């Protein structure tokens, strides 16, 4: 028996279907509307729709009910109490990568298995995120050593102990996702052969671990080198023969999607800013309560939201999207333009706020 369409029981199925028909392949689809129409199961709905659009059910002999069983589990393991790192963010990054993969200049670069691995990696890339940063987990891990009499205030600080402070969150997301795959009713990759399953697992781990922001600078450096060599080799990308070069592209693609909020239509971008700041401020509140130094941009009283966004865009997001836009030239021009327009908007807001405060 087939599960409900898109794997979600919703009275607004027709509207969801129409939104996917017009928006699934579009940069800037309203993912918050998807969340509403899909009765707050946006990840299940988006993954189901992408699998259908890319004919993955047939290509990889996956029964829709197995997909729904697995991604319902994954969705439940995203903490919906997180203002930012929740299933909507996972659905957003997954749909964004689906669009990036459609760029004409990288058509035929990736195999179907590489595309499956990329979509899967995005869907699970932040699963069970605790709503705090790696730094917070590392700082609190030693807390119990310092104050052993404190009851374990949260299971999260066990994570840094578990992963020895190395890409703590990203290791956790991968482990949880693959653990959930062991459930017999969720055996998504049962019909792949052993080689394919091993290749997919390695690719997913490589992509998810690359979403650790501390890897950003080295990832971007690799991307720039690739763009330089691509220029030299007459603009074709097809010389991606070895795994490492192909994986660099896939890692940067997922990283771009993960940092795509400022490059989306302004109403979506500002909605994400509100959510991420709320999550950072919650962390700042906890750091204050614990007597820990408050992380950058996490202090509710002193943070300058607009200014932080301008810096985030200027130092992290724009350099990354500039390199990606060059790699897939001219397919991502409109995305870079939106990013630059949004940056100017935050800049004007920041200046207006500045002018207000000195009156
Ligand atoms: C829409 O804007 C953002 C969307 C997503 C993120 C984002 C997601 C994951 N991260 C990584 C942090 O969890 C870890 N960082 C290490 C540096 O210190 C701050 C914490 N960041 C940040 C965003 O803006 C920031 C908040 C104000 C300006 C920058
Ligand atoms: Zn993310």
């Amino acid at each position: 028996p087939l599960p409900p369409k898109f794997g979600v029981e919703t009275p607004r199925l027709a509207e969801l279907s129409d939104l996917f028909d017009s928006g699934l392949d579009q940069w800037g689809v309203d993912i918050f509307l998807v969340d509403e129409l899909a009765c707050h199961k946006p990840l299940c709905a988006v993954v189901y729709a992408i699998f259908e659009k890319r004919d993955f059910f047939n290509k990889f002999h996956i029964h829709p009910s197995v997909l729904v069983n697995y991604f319902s589990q994954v969705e439940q393991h995203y903490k919906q109490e997180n203002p930012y790192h929740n299933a909507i963010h996972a659905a957003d990054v997954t749909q964004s990568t689906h669009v990036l993969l459609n760029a004409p200049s990288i058509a035929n670069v990736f195999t179907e298995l590489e595309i499956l691995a990329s979509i899967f990696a995005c869907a699970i890339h932040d699963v069970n995120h605790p709503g705090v940063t790696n730094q917070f987990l590392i700082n609190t891990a030693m807390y119990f050593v310092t104050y052993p009499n404190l009851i374990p205030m949260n299971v999260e600080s066990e994570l840094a102990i578990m992963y020895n402070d190395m890409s703590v969150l990203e290791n956790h997301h991968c482990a949880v996702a693959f653990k959930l795959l062991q459930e017999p009713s969720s055996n998504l990759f049962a019909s792949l052969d052993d080689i394919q399953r091993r290749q997919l697992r390695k690719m997913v781990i490589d992509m998810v671990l690359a979403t650790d922001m501390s890897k950003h600078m080295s990832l971007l450096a690799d991307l720039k080198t690739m763009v330089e060599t691509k220029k030299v080799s007459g603009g074709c990308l097809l010389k991606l023969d070895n795994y490492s070069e192909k994986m660099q592209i896939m890692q940067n693609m997922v990283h771009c999607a993960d940092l795509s909020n400022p490059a989306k239509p302004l109403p979506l971008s500002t909605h994400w800013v509100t959510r991420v700041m709320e999550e950072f401020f919650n962390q700042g509140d906890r750091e204050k309560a614990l007597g820990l130094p408050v992380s950058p941009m996490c202090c509710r009283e002193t943070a300058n939201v607009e200014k932080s966004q301008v810096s985030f865009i200027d130092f992290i997001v724009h350099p990354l999207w500039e390199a990606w836009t060059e790699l897939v030239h001219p397919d991502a021009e409109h995305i870079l333009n939106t990013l630059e327009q949004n940056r100017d908007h935050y800049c004007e807001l920041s200046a207006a706020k500045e002018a207000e405060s000195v009156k």
Side-chain angles (χ1 to χ4, degrees):
L2 276 177
K5 190 93 176 123
F6 306 124
V8 295
E9 292 288 356
T10 167
R12 304 178 70 178
L13 185 66
E15 291 169 84
L16 183 61
S17 234
D18 292 347
L19 183 57
F20 280 149
D21 285 348
S22 60
L24 189 69
D25 300 351
Q26 303 301 317
W27 187 261
V29 69
D30 184 348
I31 200 72
F32 298 102
L33 179 56
V34 171
D35 176 46
E36 239 178 84
L37 298 179
C39 296
H40 308 299
K41 290 190 65 178
L43 184 61
C44 244
V46 162
V47 172
Y48 191 109
I50 291 172
F51 269 55
E52 202 166 49
K53 174 83 69 151
R54 294 184 174 273
D55 199 25
F56 279 169
F57 292 119
N58 294 322
K59 283 174 186 168
F60 295 104
H61 311 295
I62 297 169
H63 194 280
S65 57
V66 172
L67 181 112
V68 171
N69 290 343
Y70 177 68
F71 280 104
S72 293
Q73 280 302 309
V74 170
E75 189 133 41
Q76 286 162 35
H77 281 75
Y78 273 96
K79 299 185 178 206
Q80 59 185 19
E81 63 270 23
N82 287 344
Y84 185 88
H85 285 106
N86 53 47
I88 313 173
H89 168 65
D92 175 46
V93 173
T94 306
Q95 189 270 338
S96 300
T97 295
H98 168 68
V99 175
L100 294 178
L101 279 163
N102 285 343
S105 59
I106 51 173
N108 319 315
V109 167
F110 301 115
T111 67
E112 288 301 321
L113 188 72
E114 288 160 352
I115 295 171
L116 174 67
S118 303
I119 297 296
F120 180 86
C122 290
I124 61 100
H125 88 281
D126 273 332
V127 68
N128 204 235
H129 196 294
V132 288
T133 62
N134 277 325
Q135 201 47 57
F136 179 90
L137 296 174
I138 291 163
N139 293 347
T140 50
M142 282 309 279
Y143 210 76
F144 293 117
V145 176
T146 324
Y147 308 97
N149 58 332
L150 259 184
I151 46 158
M153 66 181 169
N154 53 33
V155 72
E156 298 139 3
S157 48
E158 299 302 298
L159 288 176
I161 300 284
M162 173 71 77
Y163 294 113
N164 300 307
D165 296 356
M166 293 177 287
S167 297
V168 176
L169 286 168
E170 295 73 20
N171 273 297
H172 181 56
H173 304 319
C174 259
V176 168
F178 282 102
K179 197 88 195 107
L180 291 174
L181 263 182
Q182 291 172 351
E183 175 60 42
S185 63
S186 300
N187 57 354
L188 204 59
F189 305 125
S191 310
L192 270 59
D193 64 44
D194 277 349
I195 307 275
Q196 287 179 312
R197 258 197 299 271
R198 234 196 317 275
Q199 286 172 333
L200 180 131
R201 173 170 163 78
K202 175 164 178 47
M203 290 193 278
V204 170
I205 291 169
D206 284 345
M207 279 181 266
V208 174
L209 291 191
T211 60
D212 179 351
M213 286 290 277
S214 69
K215 306 285 190 262
H216 169 78
M217 289 305 170
S218 58
L219 216 56
L220 178 55
D222 291 344
L223 182 61
K224 285 178 173 173
T225 308
M226 188 159 293
V227 168
E228 284 317 305
T229 45
K230 175 199 155 190
K231 255 195 217 153
V232 166
S233 71
C236 75
L237 263 181
L238 299 179
K239 66 170 205 46
L240 293 170
D241 35 19
N242 62 31
Y243 174 83
S244 129
E245 280 181 346
K246 225 179 211 187
M247 182 41 66
Q248 275 169 24
I249 301 243
M250 292 159 76
Q251 288 169 324
N252 273 289
M253 177 175 63
V254 172
H255 185 46
C256 279
D258 200 21
L259 298 183
S260 64
N261 297 161
K264 290 285 176 67
L266 191 60
L268 290 173
S269 179
T270 52
H271 191 158
W272 286 119
V273 171
T274 306
R275 284 172 173 264
V276 77
M277 293 318 299
E278 193 46 43
E279 195 165 301
F280 280 14
F281 291 161
N282 291 343
Q283 174 173 321
D285 297 347
R286 290 172 65 179
E287 288 166 330
K288 228 170 282 174
L290 290 169
L292 290 169
V294 177
S295 301
M297 299 171 290
C298 295
C299 179
R300 186 177 295 282
E301 272 81 46
T302 61
N304 184 325
V305 176
E306 292 75 17
K307 218 168 174 182
S308 303
Q309 271 308 303
V310 173
S311 313
F312 183 49
I313 293 169
D314 287 351
F315 296 114
I316 305 278
V317 183
H318 190 272
L320 176 66
W321 275 100
E322 198 173 38
W324 181 264
T325 301
E326 227 178 307
L327 183 83
V328 300
H329 182 79
D331 306 335
E333 293 303 328
H334 64 295
I335 298 175
L336 193 62
N337 289 339
T338 305
L339 175 61
E340 289 163 356
Q341 287 157 19
N342 290 347
R343 186 255 183 215
D344 292 344
H345 165 80
Y346 293 119
C347 217
E348 282 151 24
L349 273 189
S350 171
K353 219 173 170 182
E354 192 79 28
E356 198 55 36
S357 67
V358 296
K359 263 185 195 157

